[in-house]
Amino acid sequence: MDRHTQPIKTISTPPINVLLVDDEQQILRALTRLIRPLEFQVFTASCVSSARKILHHEPIDIVITDLKMPFETGDILLAEIVTQRPCPVRILLTGFADLVFVKSLLNRGEIDFYLEKPWDKNELVALLKKAKDKVITRHAKHNKIHKINYLTHKLRVKNASFVAALTASIKQQKEAACEKKVAVDDAIASLLNIVEVSPQIDECFAHDVSLLAVQLAKMLGFTSKQTINLMLAAKLCEIGLLGASIDVATQPIQYLHADQRAEYLNQVNYAQRVLKPIPALHCVSDIIVQQFLQPLDAIHAGIDILEEALVLSVCRDICLLKYGRLTGEEENESTIRRYINKHASDKYSADIARAASDLVNQYDTFLYLGKKPVRSLRAGMVVKSDLRLKKGQLLFPKGHKLTQRNIQRLLVVEQNIDYPLLVPVTTSLDLQETQPA
């Protein structure tokens, strides 16, 4: 049984374990005498190597280490444990001469606290109380994450066979109308969960298309039923990319060659197969299937395009342009308006295009446009503007190209703040990477 599948259970509060690391025995003894009466379990090590062994075998909650020691310094040890979950509270003992270096470690999130030597007893006790509160908070957050991981794992297992299970469930629900509604709600939840976890689909993009579509539907006077169907179709507009390769799903459309474009456009057929077992979503399926159909082509083919599909088409393209997924460059509002107006009579409905062009000016009302939660970041993305915490601390400057290590650091930072960290990034790729060979 892996760590995601372990059942959730109530975890009793264990004693808080403190690891003291210093090459001077008298300092270890002095710290132990001071700390032990405070109801901490104390472990001691005279070097970094010994500390590693203790950390490997014992659940350490707080590490207090001297900075300067023979062979390896204390900051090296603290850097190694920063990715542990839950991460121990890290306190560095230092002399006055090292304060500039220590403060830089604090600003980078590599330590939690520092204490100058010789320390004041009352100051150390107060610092340990802060550390204890931080440990309790981190344990609570770790337990919450464990619960979320467990529930997410259950959802992913369920989603692996959701089409077959959902078809059988709907067949059974026909016997009772009230139970049928429950099944449909579960199906929608499963589909939206797939959008969230799939690497082929950008859930932030789908979120923004949905917000734009709802706003445009209100401007055009859509009925409540039309708006609800449109909102769901927008959230699922790229679910057909589950049947496409990663390259086709993530490359800017302009750089797709003919076969890849055909595979990209075929997503509507895959989406139709996914939604077919759910009769209540057939209207949603029709909207998704018609999203690439142009008005003139529809007239020649004798097809009546749904208004909702015309709205989805223009909202999808606005977000593709904004995210850099159409041309490979993130376009500004002026360029997007010119693009919409240019294609108002051939690609879109003229009335809908005019309303959409006016809506482009209201980007600031949409939460995720140009921003992503940390869990959605990928190495290679570029920070579009200075990334700072609410208190003003700079994490990454504008133009910084994220690495996997940077993303891991942001995950650590997010664990220590009480609000979600949204990162302004560009999803466009370098031309050398996106042009076909």
Side-chain angles (χ1 to χ4, degrees):
M1 182 180 291
D2 61 40
R3 62 188 177 88
H4 293 304
T5 60
Q6 294 175 0
I8 303 169
K9 58 184 180 180
T10 303
I11 303 174
S12 59
T13 304
I16 293 181
N17 296 331
V18 180
L19 173 59
L20 307 175
V21 188
D22 200 299
D23 59 314
E24 298 184 39
Q25 290 296 324
Q26 61 270 30
I27 290 180
L28 290 176
R29 287 193 293 269
L31 286 171
T32 301
R33 286 195 301 270
L34 182 60
I35 294 174
R36 186 163 281 155
L38 301 177
E39 298 183 349
F40 291 104
Q41 179 71 35
V42 179
F43 298 83
T44 61
S46 59
C47 63
V48 170
S49 177
S50 298
R52 287 193 186 101
K53 294 178 181 178
I54 295 174
L55 285 164
H56 181 72
H57 292 96
E58 301 292 343
I60 299 300
D61 302 300
I62 302 173
V63 178
I64 302 177
T65 179
D66 190 17
L67 173 61
K68 293 185 177 180
M69 292 182 288
F71 306 114
E72 293 181 279
T73 55
D75 61 305
I76 293 176
L77 175 65
L78 298 184
E80 290 175 358
I81 64 175
V82 74
T83 58
Q84 288 187 16
R85 295 293 176 273
C87 180
V89 176
R90 291 145 286 137
I91 302 175
L92 196 61
L93 298 176
T94 180
F96 178 79
D98 303 310
L99 279 182
V100 173
F101 172 67
V102 171
K103 288 181 178 179
S104 71
L105 295 179
L106 186 66
N107 290 334
R108 294 199 302 267
E110 295 181 15
I111 63 174
D112 294 298
F113 304 103
Y114 69 89
L115 189 64
E116 293 184 52
K117 297 166 62 176
W119 63 81
D120 176 78
K121 175 181 176 180
N122 293 331
E123 185 179 354
L124 177 57
V125 170
L127 188 59
L128 283 170
K129 289 181 179 178
K130 289 182 180 179
K132 181 178 180 180
D133 292 339
K134 206 173 189 71
V135 167
I136 294 171
T137 300
R138 285 183 180 176
H139 273 292
K141 191 166 188 176
H142 177 71
N143 292 339
K144 184 177 180 181
I145 291 172
H146 171 77
K147 181 177 181 179
I148 291 172
N149 287 339
Y150 169 75
L151 295 175
T152 300
H153 176 78
K154 287 187 67 178
L155 283 173
R156 286 178 178 171
V157 171
K158 182 179 179 181
N159 289 338
S161 58
F162 85 97
V163 173
L166 189 57
T167 302
S169 175
I170 292 177
K171 186 176 180 180
Q172 295 173 1
Q173 303 310 323
K174 289 180 179 179
E175 300 174 359
C178 61
E179 294 181 0
K180 182 176 179 180
K181 183 180 183 304
V182 172
V184 172
D185 290 344
D186 287 346
I188 293 172
S190 295
L191 291 168
L192 294 177
N193 187 63
I194 288 174
V195 170
E196 181 176 346
V197 301
S198 171
Q200 287 106 318
I201 304 174
D202 185 341
E203 77 276 14
C204 295
F205 174 84
H207 174 89
D208 290 338
V209 174
S210 175
L211 286 177
L212 278 170
V214 169
Q215 292 296 322
L216 192 51
K218 291 179 180 178
M219 293 172 64
L220 296 169
F222 278 21
T223 66
S224 175
K225 184 177 180 179
Q226 282 180 303
T227 302
I228 291 172
N229 285 338
L230 175 59
M231 176 183 66
L232 189 52
K235 288 184 177 181
L236 301 174
C237 67
E238 292 193 316
I239 197 166
L241 288 178
L242 291 171
S245 65
I246 292 291
D247 287 343
V248 169
T250 57
Q251 274 199 92
I253 297 171
Q254 177 176 302
Y255 299 125
L256 299 178
H257 56 66
D259 290 344
Q260 288 177 318
R261 287 201 178 206
E263 183 180 349
Y264 178 81
L265 293 175
N266 190 55
Q267 64 171 288
V268 296
N269 296 321
Y270 190 90
Q272 190 175 39
R273 291 198 299 272
V274 169
L275 298 176
K276 186 177 180 180
I278 315 170
L281 296 184
H282 284 180
C283 289
V284 173
S285 176
D286 291 340
I287 297 170
I288 294 172
V289 168
Q290 291 186 358
Q291 64 175 303
F292 294 111
L293 194 58
Q294 297 185 9
L296 290 178
D297 294 337
I299 292 173
H300 293 152
I303 300 173
D304 292 329
I305 303 183
L306 296 169
E307 280 189 293
E308 298 93 316
L310 293 169
V311 170
L312 175 58
S313 175
V314 71
C315 292
R316 179 204 65 227
D317 286 353
I318 289 173
C319 290
L320 286 173
L321 287 161
K322 185 65 177 178
Y323 275 66
R325 288 181 49 191
L326 192 60
T327 63
E329 296 291 338
E330 295 185 8
E331 306 294 356
N332 58 35
E333 286 80 356
S334 178
T335 302
I336 295 173
R337 282 197 302 273
R338 285 199 301 270
Y339 181 92
I340 299 301
N341 293 331
K342 177 182 177 181
H343 295 285
S345 59
D346 59 351
K347 194 173 181 181
Y348 315 116
S349 160
D351 292 340
I352 292 175
R354 277 195 297 271
S357 182
D358 294 337
L359 187 60
V360 169
N361 293 320
Q362 302 177 29
Y363 274 132
D364 291 342
T365 63
F366 305 110
L367 176 63
Y368 283 152
L369 277 175
K371 295 185 179 182
K372 284 184 175 290
V374 177
R375 59 185 169 79
S376 296
L377 297 176
R378 296 190 301 274
M381 289 182 172
V382 178
V383 179
K384 293 198 300 185
S385 58
D386 289 351
L387 176 60
R388 298 178 181 273
L389 297 179
K390 287 184 177 179
K391 293 183 179 180
Q393 178 184 338
L394 178 65
L395 297 178
F396 294 113
K398 176 181 178 180
H400 179 80
K401 192 171 184 178
L402 293 175
T403 65
Q404 196 59 42
R405 185 174 181 181
N406 295 153
I407 296 171
Q408 291 298 321
R409 177 190 164 195
L410 290 176
L411 288 169
V412 172
V413 171
E414 190 172 44
Q415 284 190 334
N416 292 279
I417 57 179
D418 57 1
Y419 53 89
L421 191 60
L422 294 174
V423 184
V425 292
T426 173
T427 58
S428 58
L429 306 175
D430 293 335
L431 289 180
Q432 290 181 341
E433 296 175 349
T434 56
Q435 288 179 339

